[in-house]
Amino acid sequence: KINLNSNESNTTTTCQVENNSKPEAPVKSINPKKQELLVLDSSHPLVQAYTPKLRKQHPHLEHLVHTLSKSLPLTFRIRQHDPSISKQLAITLESLHRNDKHDDKSFSHLICPVSYDPTQSIYQSLPNSKLSKSNLSKVSPQLKDFLVTHSMNGTLARQELGSMLPVLCLSAVGAMGPGSKVLDLCASPGSKTMQALEIVAPWAADDDAAATTTLTKQKVDSKDDITNTSINKSNSSSKPWKGKVIANDVHPGRLASLQDAVARSGLPTSLTSHVTYTNFDASNFPFPKSKKLFHSIICDVPCSGDGTIRKDEHILPNWMPRTGNALHGLQLRILKRALELVRVGGVVCYSTCSLNPVEDEAVVSAALRSKNWINAAGDGGNSGSWSGDSVGQKVERTNYEIIEWPEGLLPGFIRRPGVFDWKVAFYDENHMEDGNDDFGSLSFCETQNEARENGFEDGQATFWSDHEWNKGLNLDKCVRLFSPRP
């Protein structure tokens, strides 16, 4: 099973960005369907690129351009490793939110819990507050001090909503829970690693804390039984869950930064001791010596990041289609390795911060089509499909499927289905449009042969879509994220 959550938008526009040295007045644009007046800040390069000609050709993109030209809202969540601490912080936040907005200690005019989270543990800045990470110190020093204090003591995590979703999904489908063995293949900077840690090793921070709960362990292979286990932490014989998160990153520097982030998180060492750090190429991550594979795998792969222009000002001016195209092969190898490392009944969550289907649906489609996956039979799926280990053994084919967004997870959260078909873009430096003699333009190729005929030798066959195959895979179960209408 694969749970795929592409942290992206399913509508894109590609155009040349002009650099105006003197900002013009805001552009007023009217959506012809709803007659809604949008005020677009023409100093933003994305708005500058959205020329009158493009507005006429693609009026449905106005709301997307409007949203992407605004700063990303401030988002944070209450950590879940210790229910008593989480509950106390929630009460504190609720109290501060209720205070009169003229009170120095009130945040009611700045933040509130998101409406689609029943747990009320995810907070985001209000749209009218215009509060973002970049202007937090200026808008509300008091809120900044509050966030810094609780981030350092381990009760609060500054984490973007898109970053939270893979772990939330894996937990909601039952593939990640207390005692689970989790692999985070591309773990840096570490927000997902710590989020997963809170789930797989709850209450490890305080062995003497009194808490009683009933938890369900999902059946993940033929040896496991579905059981309901009541854990009473006040019982002196009880022990913390022995869950484990393997945090891997191929770059030693990024791995060091990840370790530092965990050390600075404020989480107790009795909890962070459940993290194992590894420094392997994710596409060739070794199989566990125990041959016990992973319950769930976080596969948040390196990507072009073209879905992050709201927080990274360098993405847009440096964007080129070859960036995402060049990463496609690596992304595919990493996902294929993740499929080999997950045990029978387990779940892989593949995600990116990219809008480009070549980095998203194309990778998923190719991974499921590329090879015949095998597992050595007779061990409950705990041995891998690596070459040689199945010699002389009876083998069975292992099937994978894309699964639905978990029922009940973030009800009301706006999402869009994955796509079956897409165009593949290349940048042609020699092809000019509209009398532009300074720069080339984008070219879209329908097939690999067409790309090669036009001199684009780097086009891989797996870039392109196969409508019937993709429909049979249920690629529409992939999840695309883009902002709701303002």
Side-chain angles (χ1 to χ4, degrees):
K1 294 182 180 179
I2 312 168
N3 189 17
L4 297 144
N5 304 287
S6 298
N7 189 16
E8 47 172 347
S9 164
N10 74 347
T11 309
T12 66
T13 181
T14 52
C15 42
Q16 183 176 309
V17 178
E18 300 173 359
N19 183 15
N20 295 339
S21 58
K22 184 178 180 180
E24 300 175 355
V27 179
K28 293 183 179 180
S29 180
I30 298 179
N31 186 310
K33 291 185 178 181
K34 290 196 173 184
Q35 295 296 306
E36 296 178 23
L37 183 65
L38 298 179
V39 179
L40 306 180
D41 181 4
S42 62
S43 66
H44 194 282
L46 185 62
V47 177
Q48 295 169 13
Y50 192 52
T51 62
K53 179 181 177 181
L54 287 173
R55 290 192 194 106
K56 185 176 181 180
Q57 292 176 340
H58 309 289
H60 63 290
L61 296 181
E62 290 184 7
H63 280 283
L64 181 66
V65 171
H66 178 272
T67 300
L68 294 183
S69 64
K70 305 300 179 185
S71 297
L72 201 64
L74 179 73
T75 309
F76 62 90
R77 65 178 180 84
I78 300 174
R79 292 197 184 276
Q80 303 298 309
H81 63 288
D82 188 320
S84 61
I85 294 177
S86 300
K87 183 177 180 180
Q88 184 57 51
L89 181 56
I91 293 173
T92 301
L93 279 166
E94 183 181 3
S95 174
L96 293 172
H97 189 261
R98 284 180 176 178
N99 288 345
D100 185 276
K101 67 179 182 180
H102 299 296
D103 187 334
D104 289 340
K105 296 182 179 180
S106 172
F107 305 142
S108 61
H109 60 300
L110 297 174
I111 60 171
C112 70
V114 297
S115 60
Y116 43 79
D117 175 28
T119 69
Q120 299 285 280
S121 63
I122 302 174
Y123 279 73
Q124 199 165 64
S125 56
L126 293 165
N128 294 335
S129 71
K130 298 182 179 180
L131 178 64
S132 65
K133 181 180 179 180
S134 61
N135 65 11
L136 176 59
S137 298
K138 182 178 180 181
V139 174
S140 179
Q142 295 85 359
L143 178 57
K144 180 183 179 180
D145 290 343
F146 178 86
L147 295 178
V148 169
T149 298
H150 288 278
S151 295
M152 292 178 66
N153 67 20
T155 57
L156 181 150
R158 298 273 294 275
Q159 187 176 0
E160 294 172 12
L161 181 61
S163 173
M164 300 178 196
L165 295 179
V167 171
L168 290 176
C169 286
L170 289 169
S171 176
V173 299
M176 183 188 296
S180 294
K181 184 180 180 181
V182 178
L183 172 61
D184 191 350
L185 272 172
C186 308
S188 184
S191 57
K192 298 179 188 66
T193 293
M194 287 183 276
Q195 186 184 5
L197 187 61
E198 297 165 33
I199 294 172
V200 304
W203 307 295
D206 186 358
D207 292 351
D208 298 323
T212 303
T213 188
T214 299
L215 302 160
T216 300
K217 181 180 180 182
Q218 186 194 25
K219 184 176 182 180
V220 293
D221 60 45
S222 60
K223 289 187 176 181
D224 285 338
D225 294 323
I226 299 177
T227 58
N228 291 324
T229 307
S230 181
I231 303 299
N232 190 335
K233 296 285 294 180
S234 61
N235 189 323
S236 59
S237 63
S238 66
K239 296 181 180 180
W241 286 96
K242 295 183 179 180
K244 197 77 175 177
V245 178
I246 311 301
N248 178 72
D249 204 279
V250 67
H251 300 289
R254 288 174 60 84
L255 187 65
S257 297
L258 188 159
Q259 292 174 290
D260 184 56
V262 173
R264 290 184 291 103
S265 67
L267 295 173
T269 54
S270 56
L271 182 65
T272 58
S273 63
H274 289 249
V275 181
T276 297
Y277 300 97
T278 58
N279 179 213
F280 296 109
D281 174 359
S283 65
N284 196 32
F285 191 90
F287 286 85
K289 293 180 180 179
S290 67
K291 296 189 178 181
K292 292 183 179 180
L293 303 183
F294 298 92
H295 296 94
S296 59
I297 298 179
I298 304 167
C299 192
D300 190 50
V301 297
C303 67
S304 66
D306 58 27
T308 66
I309 63 175
R310 297 181 69 184
K311 70 171 183 177
D312 189 343
E313 61 182 11
H314 302 293
I315 294 292
L316 188 60
N318 295 321
W319 180 87
M320 296 286 278
R322 65 168 172 254
T323 305
N325 293 351
L327 287 167
H328 171 88
L330 175 62
Q331 294 163 341
L332 177 55
R333 293 193 300 274
I334 292 175
L335 178 54
K336 286 163 60 177
R337 192 59 162 183
L339 294 177
E340 294 174 338
L341 289 165
V342 72
R343 63 175 63 188
V344 173
V347 182
V348 173
C349 182
Y350 175 84
S351 61
T352 75
C353 298
S354 170
L355 297 84
N356 191 350
V358 171
E359 301 181 66
D360 300 317
E361 286 90 347
V363 173
V364 175
S365 178
L368 296 181
R369 191 173 195 173
S370 62
K371 60 187 292 188
N372 293 327
W373 302 93
I374 58 174
N375 253 16
D379 62 355
N382 282 330
S383 64
S385 55
W386 57 99
S387 176
D389 281 3
S390 60
V391 175
Q393 301 181 32
K394 179 182 177 182
V395 298
E396 61 180 13
R397 192 179 304 278
T398 301
N399 296 318
Y400 299 84
E401 64 177 353
I402 305 172
I403 60 178
E404 297 274 6
W405 175 272
E407 184 178 358
L409 176 63
L410 304 181
F413 181 68
I414 296 176
R415 58 191 189 276
R416 297 292 186 271
V419 295
F420 298 125
D421 299 290
W422 51 85
K423 296 179 179 180
V424 179
F426 297 88
Y427 186 68
D428 187 348
E429 297 180 357
N430 300 314
H431 183 258
M432 310 299 174
E433 286 186 351
D434 299 330
N436 187 340
D437 57 358
D438 292 322
F439 304 100
S441 63
L442 292 176
S443 295
F444 291 92
C445 300
E446 299 292 338
T447 65
Q448 184 183 28
N449 287 337
E450 181 184 350
R452 288 179 174 176
E453 289 172 1
N454 285 277
F456 305 121
E457 298 295 334
D458 57 339
Q460 303 175 37
T462 50
F463 285 5
W464 283 270
S465 63
D466 181 332
H467 181 84
E468 292 304 317
W469 166 257
N470 291 342
K471 193 171 182 180
L473 280 181
N474 298 314
L475 274 186
D476 55 331
K477 290 184 180 179
C478 296
V479 175
R480 283 180 164 266
L481 307 177
F482 55 98
S483 299
R485 292 181 180 273

